[in-house]
């Protein structure tokens, strides 16, 4: 009842008016109680009743309604009660909190005439549930009387929020500490990784309960300090099944199955958790037969046991065995279905994964994320994006995994605008830019050619790991901004993040693309001393590329001879590319011969050698390469270029006649070609791999796929916005030269990504400095 809060009563009455009358009241009774309410003065909370069966009955009804979420019915009962006691108020208060209605609980608490200790404790608990520790502390400080429950609630609240110092301050002030107080502060240390302080506290008290011993052991297990965990376990005065299970699962998860098996055999009692820990341990360590043996021997199984065994088969991509278990599983849950979706998707059987997804009775965010990831990894980009859109329409909360997969999909197909929309939804969803999603966002902007936006996202990241730094360094390297890449690397060295072998590949690649030869050599020979990185094949490949591009072909060959392992096809390919740049036919033939021995089906290497022959005018050798490719069944990969415009991807091939705007594109290119020639453009006809007349060579070069895509972009992308074109092969020398002229004539920024790197054309120059 609300003796002094008539407005509050009216608000409750409005909420109840539309609901059915509470079943505990018949209409006659309600009329009588309403009349009595008008004549009863209740200016103050009534004195405690020794025992009033009617009040008890009404309080039980309130509690029952609240337990089942019927808040309006409970409010109606409370409103019509002829008399109430503190239990009535507290039943309403705890009921609102348990149903997530914090604002109603707060208003009710403010209306209590004389709140008692239980009311204060309940409201503090409500503030804690609402993650408002500041208000909880203010109410705590205002309380006239506190009991042990009050102090322990605050200790636990601070501990769960990671505020260990505040928890300790409350603990020290607690006048009458009990076992819960001691366990609370111990848990605060353990849960927040302060094991040294936890151990110091633990050793200061000899009267710990078994639950505290178990907490300490669990802390050591989480840190993988199994020796310390076992030492405590051996000292325990009394062990329960949790003690055994914690240690068994710890050794199993850390791969020491011999000790886990010994403990399992010694355990005086086992429950389903004990058996499941062994199944999971064997599965995680690739011991599938042992996992199945233990699973078959289990006296009782629950859904976790079945899911652990199914997951074991899924991890080993034994989907037939996983499906057999899944079909006979008596207690499937959403995790069971999700495991099957993930397994089929990872095994490349996306259609089966989709069938499972469509037939499952209930989905969660993991189900959607697993299916999106399956499409993404298979390369079905449109299906992945469509499913992401459907996920939002169904009202499912989009988790980090879904955002990550969709951002990766946008990166793979270079759909920048779509990636930006996903970024916007990510921000609206309230996710902080941590490593998991942030790294995918970085990669998306880098791969889509928006390096400035990538760096903005990089700076906004609340946390950065080694992948974050590596992505940014490699991004700048691929865009030709070697100096910027090295600046990021120097910033990384000022943090606690230690460079790894991937970092150094990015650094050496940046030096190679930017022509920073001396810096690259210095980093290569000092990276082991400074960062503990031992040179691998990838680092040697970067160095061969760096030296080759700079024309130091003899140094590149000498480095290959001094390597601790034999050169692979990638290294010889770097040398072949350098031979093309510097027109060293003899070295190019030597490199190509070795490549053909290792990778006879690598069409790109045949084309590279053909380019070297064509540049030198050796047409007989060009024809010889063509015959060799035909005899070996090697087919040249056709060149494609694509561009995103108006939320649609447009693809072009050389001399493309299928695009609906082909007439407009070709007419524009003819006009553009005349303007380019007036500015001094000359076709690089030496790149044509056919011995034909110069005029015919010019015609063959005029309609390359990247030129068609650039022309389409100029016609369709609004002025002032960059034109972003992707090509599946290396951009040819003629197109590279032509786009430089086009950027001046049309006054546009043109970003072209080929199979090797990005080229930013602006004002007649390219970010690669013609060094690619």
């Amino acid at each position: 009842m609300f003796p002094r809060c008539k407005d509050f009563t009216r608000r409750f009455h409005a909420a109840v008016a539309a609901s059915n009358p509470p079943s505990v009241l018949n209409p006659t009774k309600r009329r009588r109680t309403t009349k009595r309410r008008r004549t009863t003065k209740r200016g103050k909370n009534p004195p405690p009743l020794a025992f009033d069966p009617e009040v008890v009955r009404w309080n039980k009804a309130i509690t029952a309604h609240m337990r089942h979420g019927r808040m309006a019915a409970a409010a109606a009962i409370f409103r019509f009660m002829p008399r109430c006691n503190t239990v009535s108020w507290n039943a309403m208060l705890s009921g609102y909190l348990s149903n997530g209605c914090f604002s109603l609980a707060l208003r009710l608490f403010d209306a209590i005439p004389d709140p008692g200790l239980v009311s204060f404790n309940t409201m503090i608990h409500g503030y804690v549930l609402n993650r408002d520790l500041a208000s909880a502390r203010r109410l705590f400080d205002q309380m006239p009387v506190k009991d042990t429950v009050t102090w322990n609630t605050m200790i636990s609240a601070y501990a769960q929020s990671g505020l260990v110092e505040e928890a300790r301050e409350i603990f020290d002030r607690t006048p009458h500490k009990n076992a819960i107080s001691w366990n609370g502060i111990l848990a605060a240390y353990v849960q927040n990784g302060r094991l040294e302080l936890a151990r110091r506290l633990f050793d200061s008290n000899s009267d710990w309960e078994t639950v505290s011993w178990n907490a300490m052991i669990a802390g050591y297990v989480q840190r993988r300090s199994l020796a310390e965990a076992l030492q405590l376990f051996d000292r325990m005065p009394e062990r329960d099944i949790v003690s055994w299970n914690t240690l068994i699962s710890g050794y199993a998860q850390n791969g020491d199955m011999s000790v886990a098996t010994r403990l399992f055999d010694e355990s005086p009692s086992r429950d389903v958790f004990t058996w499941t820990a062994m199944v999971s341990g064997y599965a995680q360590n690739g011991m599938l037969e042992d996992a199945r043996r233990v699973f078959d021997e289990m006296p009782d199984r629950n859904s976790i046991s079945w899911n652990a065994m199914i997951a074991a088969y899924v991890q080993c991509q034994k989907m037939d065995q996983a499906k057999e278990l899944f079909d006979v599983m008596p207690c499937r849950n959403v995790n069971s279905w999700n495991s099957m979706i993930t397994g089929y998707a990872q095994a490349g059987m996306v259609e089966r994964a989709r069938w499972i997804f469509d037939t499952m009775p209930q989905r969660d965010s993991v189900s959607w994320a697993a299916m999106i990831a399956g499409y993404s990894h298979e390369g079905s980009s449109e299906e992945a994006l469509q499913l992401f859109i459907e996920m939002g329409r169904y009202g499912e909360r989009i988790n980090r995994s879904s955002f990550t997969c969709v951002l990766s999909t946008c990166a793979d197909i270079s759909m920048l605008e779509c990636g930006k929309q996903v970024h916007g939804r990510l921000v609206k969803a309230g996710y902080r830019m941590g490593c998991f999603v942030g790294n995918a966002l970085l990669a998306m902007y880098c791969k889509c050619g928006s390096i400035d936006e990538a760096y903005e996202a990089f700076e906004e990241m609340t946390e950065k790991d080694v992948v974050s730094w590596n992505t940014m360094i490699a991004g700048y390297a691929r865009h030709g901004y070697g100096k910027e890449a090295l600046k990021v690397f120097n910033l990384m060295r000022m943090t606690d993040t230690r460079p790894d072998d991937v970092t150094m590949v990015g650094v050496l690649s940046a030096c190679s693309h930017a022509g920073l030869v001396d810096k690259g050599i210095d980093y290569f020979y000092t990276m082991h001393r400074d960062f503990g990185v031992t040179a691998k094949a990838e680092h040697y490949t970067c160095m061969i590329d760096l030296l080759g591009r700079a024309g130091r072909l003899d140094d590149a060959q000498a480095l290959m001879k001094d390597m601790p392992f034999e050169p692979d096809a990638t290294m010889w390919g770097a040398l072949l590319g350098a031979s093309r740049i510097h027109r060293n036919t003899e070295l190019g033939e030597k490199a190509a011969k070795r490549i053909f021995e290792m990778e006879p089906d690598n069409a790109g290497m045949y084309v590279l050698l053909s380019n070297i022959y064509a540049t030198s005018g050796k047409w007989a050798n060009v024809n010889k390469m063509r015959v060799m490719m035909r005899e070996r069944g090697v087919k040249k990969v056709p060149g494609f270029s694509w561009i995103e415009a108006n939320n649609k991807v447009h693809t072009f091939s050389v001399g493309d006649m299928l695009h609906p705007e082909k007439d407009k594109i070709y007419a524009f290119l003819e006009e553009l070609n005349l303007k380019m020639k007036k500015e001094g453009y000359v076709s690089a006809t030496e790149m044509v791999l056919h011995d034909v007349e110069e005029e015919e060579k010019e015609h063959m070069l005029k309609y390359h796929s990247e030129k068609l895509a650039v022309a389409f972009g100029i016609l369709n992308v609004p002025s002032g916005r960059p034109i972003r074109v992707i090509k599946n092969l290396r951009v040819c020398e003629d197109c590279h030269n032509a786009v430089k002229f086009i950027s001046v004539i049309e006054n546009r920024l043109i970003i072209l990504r080929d199979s090797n790197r990005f080229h930013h054309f602006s004002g007649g120059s390219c970010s690669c400095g013609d060094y690619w």
Side-chain angles (χ1 to χ4, degrees):
M1 62 185 181
F2 304 87
R4 301 174 67 178
C5 299
K6 294 182 180 179
D7 291 339
F8 189 57
T9 305
R10 292 193 196 99
R11 287 196 292 273
F12 271 115
H13 180 67
V16 174
S19 66
N20 293 325
S23 59
V24 295
L25 294 175
N26 59 51
T28 306
K29 180 72 173 178
R30 240 186 321 137
R31 282 196 297 271
R32 282 202 302 268
T33 55
T34 303
K35 184 176 179 180
R36 286 169 61 187
R37 182 179 181 277
R38 288 171 183 160
T39 59
T40 301
K41 293 183 179 181
R42 295 183 296 175
K44 294 184 179 180
N45 206 31
L49 302 175
F51 180 76
D52 188 330
E54 186 178 3
V55 173
V56 171
R57 187 169 60 252
W58 288 60
N59 288 346
K60 286 182 177 180
I62 291 173
T63 302
H65 280 304
M66 284 296 191
R67 186 179 296 121
H68 292 88
R70 297 189 290 265
M71 292 180 290
I77 294 173
F78 185 66
R79 176 175 178 270
F80 286 108
M81 286 179 68
R83 56 189 177 279
C84 69
N85 58 14
T86 55
V87 176
S88 313
W89 290 93
N90 292 335
M92 287 296 296
L93 188 63
S94 60
Y96 281 133
L97 291 174
S98 63
N99 283 283
C101 293
F102 177 78
S103 58
L104 288 178
L106 183 59
R107 284 155 59 186
L108 181 68
F109 178 77
D110 290 338
I112 298 176
D114 186 18
L117 183 60
V118 175
S119 306
F120 273 103
N121 284 344
T122 303
M123 200 61 225
I124 287 178
H125 180 64
Y127 278 123
V128 172
L129 290 177
N130 204 46
R131 297 181 181 180
D132 188 355
L133 285 188
S135 296
R137 181 58 185 267
R138 280 196 295 272
L139 189 60
F140 173 83
D141 292 336
Q142 292 169 9
M143 286 180 66
V145 178
K146 304 178 182 71
D147 64 0
T148 307
V149 173
T150 320
W151 294 92
N152 290 343
T153 299
M154 290 304 300
I155 292 171
S156 177
Y158 280 131
Q160 292 173 6
S161 300
L163 302 172
V164 181
E165 286 74 17
E166 288 81 352
R168 183 60 195 246
E169 181 250 333
I170 296 293
F171 173 79
D172 291 338
R173 289 175 52 198
T174 302
H176 303 290
K177 300 178 179 67
N178 60 11
I180 297 176
S181 313
W182 285 92
N183 290 334
I185 190 61
L186 184 69
Y189 286 134
V190 173
Q191 292 169 4
N192 293 282
R194 309 279 188 89
L195 274 186
E196 289 75 15
L197 292 174
R199 185 58 183 268
R200 195 179 306 162
L201 177 71
F202 188 81
D203 292 339
S204 70
N205 186 358
S206 60
D207 189 25
W208 291 102
E209 296 181 342
T210 303
V211 66
S212 304
W213 288 84
N214 291 341
M216 282 300 302
I217 291 172
Y220 281 123
V221 165
Q222 289 173 3
R223 187 185 276 190
R224 298 188 176 183
S225 302
L226 296 181
E228 289 84 350
L230 184 58
Q231 181 188 49
L232 274 183
F233 180 81
D234 290 336
R235 285 177 46 200
M236 287 184 73
E238 183 179 347
R239 304 180 186 122
D240 61 10
I241 196 167
V242 175
S243 318
W244 289 92
N245 288 347
T246 302
L247 205 59
I248 289 170
S249 63
Y251 276 103
Q253 291 171 6
N254 283 279
D256 195 340
M257 291 308 299
S258 60
V259 177
T261 303
R262 177 177 63 79
L263 290 168
F264 178 80
D265 293 337
E266 294 175 359
S267 179
S269 60
R270 302 167 186 158
D271 61 7
V272 68
F273 182 89
T274 323
W275 290 87
T276 304
M278 292 300 293
V279 172
S280 298
Y282 280 127
Q284 290 172 8
N285 290 281
M287 304 167 72
L288 201 56
E289 293 181 3
D290 291 301
R292 185 56 190 262
R293 174 181 55 79
V294 174
F295 178 80
D296 290 338
E297 293 174 358
M298 290 180 69
D300 297 299
R301 305 184 187 111
N302 59 12
S303 60
I304 299 174
S305 316
W306 286 89
N307 289 340
M309 196 63 235
I310 290 173
Y313 282 126
V314 166
Q315 288 170 9
C316 298
Q317 293 196 352
K318 294 183 179 295
M319 292 308 299
D320 291 339
Q321 290 91 327
K323 183 67 163 57
E324 288 176 8
L325 272 186
F326 180 77
D327 288 340
V328 299
M329 182 178 179
C331 47
R332 292 178 191 165
N333 57 22
V334 69
N335 294 330
S336 318
W337 294 84
N338 290 345
S339 293
M340 295 301 296
I341 293 173
T342 302
Y344 280 128
Q346 290 177 348
M349 295 182 277
V350 181
E351 290 183 1
R352 290 194 183 184
R354 184 57 191 259
W355 184 85
I356 293 286
F357 179 82
D358 289 337
T359 55
M360 65 191 300
Q362 182 181 0
R363 304 183 188 117
D364 61 7
S365 59
V366 177
S367 317
W368 290 88
M371 198 63 242
I372 292 170
Y375 279 130
S376 179
H377 294 156
E378 190 201 28
S380 302
S381 304
E382 291 185 11
E383 289 82 354
L385 295 175
Q386 182 61 38
L387 202 61
F388 179 78
I389 294 170
E390 289 180 21
M391 185 179 182
R393 288 175 180 167
Y394 274 87
E396 187 68 57
R397 177 171 171 79
I398 302 173
N399 59 12
R400 287 179 173 84
S401 181
S402 300
F403 276 118
T404 300
C405 288
V406 171
L407 287 170
S408 297
T409 299
C410 293
D412 291 339
I413 59 177
S414 297
M415 291 191 68
L416 178 63
E417 295 306 316
C418 179
K420 285 183 176 181
Q421 292 175 21
V422 175
H423 185 184
R425 292 187 65 176
L426 181 68
V427 173
K428 288 181 181 179
Y431 286 115
R432 297 175 64 191
M433 287 301 151
C435 298
F436 189 69
V437 179
N439 291 341
L441 190 64
L442 278 183
M444 185 276 293
Y445 279 124
C446 287
K447 290 182 179 180
C448 290
S450 186
I451 195 68
D452 291 337
E453 287 179 287
Y455 191 72
E456 288 177 8
F458 177 76
E459 287 193 311
E460 289 176 4
M461 288 179 67
T462 54
E463 299 174 11
K464 299 181 181 73
D465 61 7
V466 67
V467 177
S468 317
W469 292 97
N470 290 350
T471 303
M472 201 65 241
I473 292 169
Y476 272 129
R478 285 202 69 192
H479 282 263
Y481 299 123
K483 293 181 179 178
E484 287 77 2
L486 295 185
K487 285 180 181 177
V488 174
F489 177 60
N490 289 331
L491 288 174
M492 179 185 184
R493 295 173 65 180
M494 296 169 64
T495 68
D496 294 332
T497 307
R498 186 177 180 82
D500 60 10
D501 55 334
V502 178
T503 313
M504 297 316 298
V505 169
V507 169
L508 294 176
S509 177
C511 293
S512 177
H513 284 304
L516 304 172
V517 181
D518 292 335
K519 275 191 172 295
I521 293 173
D522 183 55
Y523 283 129
F524 179 76
Y525 286 107
T526 60
M527 65 183 183
H528 184 269
R529 181 196 69 195
D530 294 344
F531 315 116
V533 176
T534 302
K536 298 180 180 178
E538 296 87 349
H539 303 103
Y540 279 98
T541 301
C542 288
M543 286 303 298
I544 293 166
D545 185 58
L546 181 144
L547 294 170
R549 288 173 186 272
R552 296 169 60 168
L553 300 177
D554 292 338
D555 292 337
Q557 293 183 80
L559 182 63
M560 291 176 72
K561 290 179 181 178
D562 293 338
M563 290 191 308
F565 35 73
E566 289 297 316
D568 59 20
T570 306
M571 297 173 188
W572 285 110
L575 197 61
L576 177 59
S579 301
R580 183 199 63 81
I581 294 172
H582 299 287
R583 304 192 178 187
N584 189 323
T585 306
E586 182 181 350
L587 182 56
E589 289 177 329
K590 176 183 175 182
K593 181 180 177 181
R594 298 301 301 272
I595 294 171
F596 296 155
E597 292 172 359
M598 299 177 188
E599 297 180 355
D601 298 329
N602 192 330
M605 297 300 103
Y606 290 90
V607 175
L608 260 181
L609 185 57
S610 297
N611 281 333
I612 294 175
Y613 287 142
T615 303
S616 304
K618 297 182 178 181
W619 298 109
N621 288 346
V622 173
N623 292 330
K624 183 179 177 182
M625 285 291 102
R626 194 174 290 117
V627 172
M628 188 184 299
M629 290 178 70
R630 191 181 308 118
E631 289 176 347
R632 296 181 178 180
V634 179
K635 294 185 178 181
K636 183 179 180 293
V637 179
F640 290 97
S641 297
W642 58 94
I643 181 172
E644 181 187 5
N646 302 319
N647 291 322
K648 185 178 179 182
V649 176
H650 300 260
T651 305
F652 298 89
S653 59
V654 59
D656 198 311
M657 298 300 293
L658 299 177
H659 196 277
E661 296 184 34
K662 64 180 184 303
D663 294 336
K664 189 176 179 181
I665 295 170
Y666 278 86
F668 179 72
L669 263 182
E670 289 296 334
E671 296 178 7
L672 202 55
N673 198 51
L674 292 174
K675 293 178 182 178
M676 288 161 56
K677 286 185 175 180
K678 287 182 180 179
E679 296 295 327
Y681 163 72
V682 178
S683 298
T685 54
E686 69 274 10
M687 302 306 299
V688 178
L689 302 182
H690 296 277
D691 188 13
V692 293
E693 296 296 327
E694 287 294 310
E695 186 176 346
E696 187 175 349
K697 288 183 180 180
E698 285 188 21
H699 184 78
M700 295 171 72
L701 291 171
K702 190 182 297 183
Y703 305 119
H704 273 192
S705 63
E706 50 264 62
K707 289 179 181 172
L708 295 174
V710 168
F712 175 82
I714 294 172
L715 293 171
N716 290 275
V717 177
S719 179
R721 295 179 59 185
I723 297 169
R724 305 174 193 275
V725 174
I726 314 296
K727 185 174 181 181
N728 64 327
L729 303 176
R730 185 179 182 276
V731 62
C732 81
E733 188 176 320
D734 179 71
C735 287
H736 188 273
N737 189 36
V739 177
K740 287 196 295 184
F741 279 92
I742 294 172
S743 70
V744 176
I745 295 169
E746 295 296 325
N747 191 28
R748 301 293 294 266
L749 169 61
I750 303 171
I751 301 172
L752 173 61
R753 180 182 118 187
D754 66 9
S755 59
N756 194 40
R757 61 172 295 159
F758 280 88
H759 301 266
H760 293 244
F761 299 93
S762 178
S765 63
C766 178
S767 60
C768 72
D770 297 336
Y771 192 82
W772 91 101

